[in-house]
Every structure is written in C-alpha cells, then in structure tokens.
Amino acid sequence: MTFPHPVTARLLEPIRPIARGERYEDPLDAALKDAGLGEVDGGGSQLAANGEVAFAEVAIYLADLDGALQLTKETLENAGAPEGSELIFMPEAARAPLPFGRQQSLVLYLDGVSLPQQVYSELDFDAVVADIEKALAQASPALHDTWSGPEETALYFFGSDAEEMLRRAEATLLRTPVCQNARVVLRHGQASPPRREVRLPRH
C-alpha cells in the first residue's frame, strides 16, 4: 500500500460481501482515490453461530488521520452506516476507536417453517418489501440486505429512528400473511437500550 495509516471500519451491520462492496467499499475507495487520500484494501465479515453476519469490516489505508479520516467517516455515513460502527486504528493500542454512523435498524425475521404452506406458496417477496418501504416513507430505499437461515429469513431495514420505523410499518406488518409470528428486532446502536425485540401475532 502507498498510504501509511491502516484503519479498519467496523460496521455494526449484518451485510453480506457483495452488498458490502457495493454500499461501502466501492464508494469509499472512489472518494479516497479521487482526493488522493487513501484506498480500500478489501473487507470481511464476522459470522454468528447460525451463519448470519454479525458485523462487517472494511480495510482502509489513509494518507493521514485528519482530512482523510474525516472523508472516510463522512463517506461511510452518507452510504448508510449504522450507529455503533467504529473506525479502528492499527495498532489498536495507538488510538481509541472513533465511533461513527447515523442509521438505526429494524430487522424483520420472517418465520420460515411454521406458517400455513399456502402463505409460502403465495408469497411475493418483492411486493412485501415494496409495501414495507412504502409504509416507512423514506427518501431512499430502506432495505440494505437480506439473509436466509434454516428457520428464518431476515430483512434488514435502516433509517434514522428504529422506533419510528416500527410505528410506520406496524399496520403493514400486521396485515401481511408472511409476517405472522415474525420477530422484529430494533437496534439503536450505542444508545440505551441498544436493542429491543417484539414478536408479531398470528392471524
């Protein structure tokens, strides 16, 4: 690398590699190179025991820890980085991590095993996502990624206020057949409480 300062962006987001590259790595690499302030050197993901991504990381080399660091933080936040994310300096003992991120999340874990078979056979996944995003009424798409596990399918929606997202989406979730018995996990980054979980009823 031609830039002397290695930094890792740890994103508190369960985003998979392709989506991570499109949302964070590529825009950040372009911004840093255009300014002559650094470059991105790939990324990785930490998996939970069930195979779901727990958090993602992006490896960065910066020209300095002033303007280049500020550009990195702003670019990642503009791309939708969630609260609770950190810029970690190498070696880690050299400097305390720098928190960043403005987004909170509503994660919808759909029940993939116990609903009536007709619900699954008639499911239009894209239409469900479109209905939820319409209810959220955000200027930009709220869905960052999805994940399919052995018993649940997760949809990761992001916005400025997780509780407000639930208030806006609740009526849509309650009338959507495939959302029966779903878990809704609200993540508030480093705020207190950092997360809250509710279970949607069956019809």
Side-chain angles (χ1 to χ4, degrees):
M1 293 293 120
T2 57
F3 299 97
H5 299 283
V7 177
T8 297
R10 179 168 292 173
L11 297 150
L12 191 63
E13 176 175 350
I15 190 168
R16 295 175 297 175
I18 292 177
R20 183 189 69 232
E22 294 175 348
R23 178 171 292 277
Y24 297 113
E25 293 175 32
D26 295 345
L28 178 58
D29 189 56
L32 290 171
K33 286 180 176 176
D34 286 348
L37 291 176
E39 59 188 333
V40 170
D41 187 35
S45 301
Q46 177 64 49
L47 301 182
N50 64 356
E52 184 181 12
V53 175
F55 60 84
E57 293 187 336
V58 177
I60 311 160
Y61 285 83
L62 299 179
D64 59 61
L65 297 181
D66 297 309
L69 191 63
Q70 183 62 27
L71 177 60
T72 297
K73 178 177 179 291
E74 290 176 356
T75 301
L76 292 173
E77 287 183 335
N78 289 339
E83 293 180 1
S85 300
E86 294 181 320
L87 291 169
I88 301 171
F89 303 93
M90 304 296 167
E92 292 187 37
R95 184 170 175 173
L98 175 66
F100 72 98
R102 297 191 296 260
Q103 298 277 285
Q104 298 182 3
S105 69
L106 181 157
V107 185
L108 179 64
Y109 289 93
L110 300 176
D111 180 346
V113 294
S114 74
L115 300 182
Q117 188 57 41
Q118 183 179 1
V119 171
Y120 302 121
S121 63
E122 296 178 354
L123 174 63
D124 183 337
F125 188 81
D126 290 340
V128 170
V129 172
D131 286 346
I132 295 173
E133 290 198 315
K134 182 179 179 181
L136 293 175
Q138 295 186 171
S140 59
L143 184 70
H144 280 201
D145 204 359
T146 63
W147 170 76
S148 294
E151 296 184 350
E152 295 179 311
T153 295
L155 288 74
Y156 306 108
F157 295 96
F158 284 79
S160 60
D161 186 325
E163 297 292 343
E164 177 62 21
M165 291 171 71
L166 178 58
R167 286 191 289 271
R168 292 185 178 186
E170 186 173 19
T172 298
L173 297 177
L174 290 175
R175 70 168 180 264
T176 302
V178 78
C179 293
Q180 297 177 74
N181 199 44
R183 292 190 300 127
V184 181
V185 177
L186 307 177
R187 297 183 68 169
H188 310 86
Q190 302 287 28
S192 180
R195 60 178 281 159
R196 182 167 78 88
E197 180 173 328
V198 298
R199 175 75 70 171
L200 298 179
R202 296 178 183 271
H203 293 180

